């Protein structure tokens, strides 16, 4: 049996980022850009009115020495309208936000600054403006002020949040090169398992791991592929495993302990999956299995996890081992592979285990500037009730025994959960 640290080092040795793929804009959202976006336009693409008002020649204001002046409105321009007219001294255009400022004009006077009741003046009418409001360039976004055609508007490595996706769209990118979203096949093994819509008969258990792991994978930005349930029969498991090995990652749950029908490690071996480790000093989650199916040539390997069947063990193993694997495959930086660790003060006693580190659900809360960890009720490795409301995991070291309230402990922070 190896330690958690040794197990993680094994994973980090074999997991490598998936090759990037060209994907439609929206699919790239939340990932890191793998190649720069080069704009095919200037932004703004032309001098753009930034207020509703009148496009004017600012020199007219100087000529009026700051007094009022009357201008002929020669054209109305809404966003999307263009004109072949060039404004000359003494004329102006009624212009709405987003329209191109016509040639000859170099500023916009807001509609609110029209005087003598002339704010509604349209083409063919006259508007009276305060010459003091004429300043060259005002309320005009100049062509290319934000970026120029040919500029690298997004560089490789940029996190593709909403604004970055918007900027890529503005720059004319319909597709982006981004790390591939890992495809994760999920197979629940166990002859006792029934789907969640079934009312379990005596001896049957609802498959909670399948939906739970699919949810975890989805939250991590990876793509779950549900392979449903395989009974504890070698042929059934083998057929489903063969299907699952086409994915980047295969998650199995159940069948990895030492029972008569714990067939998973043997079947994986027969399918060519090389065992990297089996059993980690950990509670819950000790039976966890990890292996790799290597392929010749450029084809990527499939990483395979045999997670314990008990749901809480499965989830803890997901958090500790699968989450970092998916982060590595997705090309995330090392600082984002693992759940963040922090120190917190216990609000109530907690109990460790003699021989293994324990990961138990807790509720984290900042009280008077200090992080406090409230251990949640937890009856053991089949119990998801505490985990469902836990935004943290107590990480109690091996041999720590009972810890009293007020003891500082290490915690894993499950950001975004609960
Ligand atoms: P195993 O790891 O196959 O020995 O299973 C350990 C325990 O977890 C047993 O009580 C199983 O019924 C239960 N179990 C296994 N798989 C699942 C699952 N997909 N959903 C809920 N419980 C499960
Ligand atoms: Mg089983």
């Amino acid at each position: 049996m190896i330690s958690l640290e040794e197990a993680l080092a094994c994973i980090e040795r074999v997991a490598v980022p998936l090759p990037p793929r060209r994907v439609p804009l929206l699919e790239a959202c939340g990932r890191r850009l793998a190649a720069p976006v080069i704009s095919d336009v200037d932004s703004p693409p032309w001098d753009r009115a930034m207020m509703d008002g009148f496009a004017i020649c600012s020199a007219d204001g100087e000529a009026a020495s700051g007094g009022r002046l009357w201008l002929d409105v020669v054209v109305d321009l809404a966003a999307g309208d263009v004109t072949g007219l060039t404004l000359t001294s003494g004329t102006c255009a009624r212009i709405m936000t987003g329209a191109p400022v016509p040639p000859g004009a170099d500023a916009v006077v807001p509609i609110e600054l029209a005087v003598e009741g002339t704010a509604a003046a349209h083409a063919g009418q006259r508007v009276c403006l305060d010459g003091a409001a004429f300043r060259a360039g005002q309320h005009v976004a100049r062509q290319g002020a934000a970026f120029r055609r040919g500029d690298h508007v997004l560089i490789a490595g940029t996190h593709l949040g909403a604004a970055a996706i918007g900027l890529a769209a503005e720059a004319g990118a319909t597709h982006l090169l981004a790390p591939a979203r890992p495809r994760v096949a999920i197979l629940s093994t166990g002859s006792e398992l029934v789907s969640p819509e079934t009312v379990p008969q005596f001896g049957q258990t609802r498959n909670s791991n399948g939906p739970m792991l699919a949810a975890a994978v989805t939250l991590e930005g990876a793509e779950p592929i549900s392979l449903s349930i395989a009974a504890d029969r070698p042929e059934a498991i083998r057929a489903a495993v063969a299907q699952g090995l086409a994915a980047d990652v295969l998650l199995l749950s159940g069948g990895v302990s030492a029972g008569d029908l714990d067939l998973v490690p043997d079947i994986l071996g027969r399918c060519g999956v090389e065992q990297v480790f089996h059993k980690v000093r950990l509670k819950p989650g000790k039976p966890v299995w990890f292996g790799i199916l290597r392929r010749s040539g450029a084809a990527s390997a499939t990483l395979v996890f045999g997670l314990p069947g008990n749901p809480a063990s499965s989830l803890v193993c997901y958090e500790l081992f699968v989450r970092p694997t998916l982060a590595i495959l997705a090309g995330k930086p090392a600082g984002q592979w693992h759940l963040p660790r922090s120190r917190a003060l216990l609000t109530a006693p907690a109990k460790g285990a003699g021989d293994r580190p324990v990961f138990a659900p807790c509720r984290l809360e900042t009280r008077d500037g200090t992080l406090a960890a409230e251990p949640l009720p937890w009856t053991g490795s089949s119990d998801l009730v505490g985990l469902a409301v836990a935004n943290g995991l107590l990480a109690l070291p091996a041999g720590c025994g009972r810890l009293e309230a007020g003891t500082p402990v290490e915690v894993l922070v499950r950001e975004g959960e609960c």
Side-chain angles (χ1 to χ4, degrees):
M1 193 154 42
I2 61 174
S3 70
L4 175 59
E5 293 70 27
E6 286 166 326
L8 291 174
C10 290
I11 291 174
E12 288 173 22
R13 266 197 297 278
V14 296
V16 289
L18 295 171
R21 286 189 203 137
R22 248 175 75 78
V23 293
L25 273 193
L26 257 193
E27 215 176 287
C29 160
R31 295 193 251 164
R32 286 198 182 263
L33 187 63
V37 172
I38 300 170
S39 179
D40 65 355
V41 289
D42 290 345
S43 177
W46 15 260
D47 292 349
R48 173 186 281 148
M50 297 303 284
M51 294 285 271
D52 299 325
F54 297 90
I56 49 91
C57 314
S58 61
D60 284 350
E62 284 159 36
S65 322
R68 290 178 169 188
L69 74 165
W70 287 86
L71 299 174
D72 293 324
V73 182
V74 292
V75 65
D76 289 347
L77 297 171
D81 291 345
V82 290
T83 178
L85 283 175
T86 297
L87 292 194
T88 52
S89 177
T91 67
C92 69
R94 184 177 180 87
I95 197 164
M96 298 297 117
T97 303
V101 173
D106 65 348
V108 172
V109 174
I111 220 160
E112 298 80 359
L113 299 184
V115 291
E116 305 282 355
T118 59
H122 283 82
Q125 299 173 320
R126 303 189 80 207
V127 63
C128 184
L129 299 172
D130 184 350
F134 284 38
R135 269 186 304 275
Q138 78 172 355
H139 305 311
V140 175
R142 297 305 304 270
Q143 176 173 351
F147 57 83
R148 290 277 179 195
R149 176 181 179 178
D151 280 356
H152 289 208
V153 292
L154 292 168
I155 58 169
T158 304
H159 175 257
L160 294 166
I165 295 291
L167 180 54
E170 186 187 358
T174 58
H175 289 70
L176 297 173
L177 198 67
R181 205 178 280 278
R183 290 164 307 129
V184 185
I186 298 166
L187 174 65
S188 303
T189 72
S191 299
E192 75 284 24
L193 299 179
V194 293
S195 62
E197 61 271 20
T198 305
V199 177
Q201 302 294 304
F202 185 68
Q204 294 183 325
T205 298
R206 279 196 175 122
N207 172 21
S208 45
N209 290 346
M212 175 180 74
L213 294 170
V217 163
T218 304
L219 289 171
E220 188 57 30
E223 183 192 331
I225 302 162
S226 176
L227 298 179
S228 193
I229 297 168
D232 291 316
R233 281 185 289 106
E235 332 72 79
I237 299 179
R238 205 175 302 128
V241 163
Q243 225 183 316
L245 287 174
D248 300 309
V249 176
L250 168 59
L251 301 182
L252 297 108
S253 77
V256 287
S257 312
D260 292 344
L261 288 175
D262 288 332
L263 309 168
V264 166
D266 184 56
I267 291 171
L268 289 172
R270 287 171 195 270
C271 291
V273 184
E274 203 181 297
Q275 177 180 313
V276 178
F277 62 74
H278 188 191
K279 295 198 169 74
V280 177
R281 262 194 304 283
L282 175 71
K283 189 179 175 179
K286 180 171 110 180
V288 61
W289 191 99
F290 175 62
I292 178 168
L293 176 69
R294 297 183 199 273
R295 293 192 175 84
S296 53
S300 15
T302 300
L303 301 178
V304 183
F305 287 90
L307 305 174
N310 272 310
S313 312
S314 238
L315 190 66
V316 166
C317 289
Y318 174 88
E319 296 287 27
L320 295 177
F321 304 115
V322 183
R323 174 194 284 271
T325 304
L326 298 183
I328 295 172
L329 264 54
K332 292 192 180 167
Q336 293 175 18
W337 293 351
H338 301 284
L339 287 176
R341 285 180 181 251
S342 188
R343 301 287 290 175
L345 294 183
L346 282 175
T347 62
K351 199 164 164 293
D355 56 340
R356 292 173 279 164
V358 169
F359 292 85
C362 71
R363 189 86 214 149
L364 297 173
E365 198 182 290
T366 305
R367 294 184 191 164
D368 304 327
T370 304
L371 192 61
E374 177 197 345
L376 290 166
W378 187 42
T379 59
S381 52
S382 65
D383 180 358
L384 283 179
V385 175
L387 276 168
V389 292
N391 61 355
L393 292 173
L394 301 174
L396 306 174
C400 74
R402 180 187 155 99
L403 299 173
E404 297 305 329
T407 309
V409 289
E410 186 161 47
V411 292
L412 305 187
V413 183
R414 299 173 77 216
E415 278 164 353
E417 297 273 343
C418 318

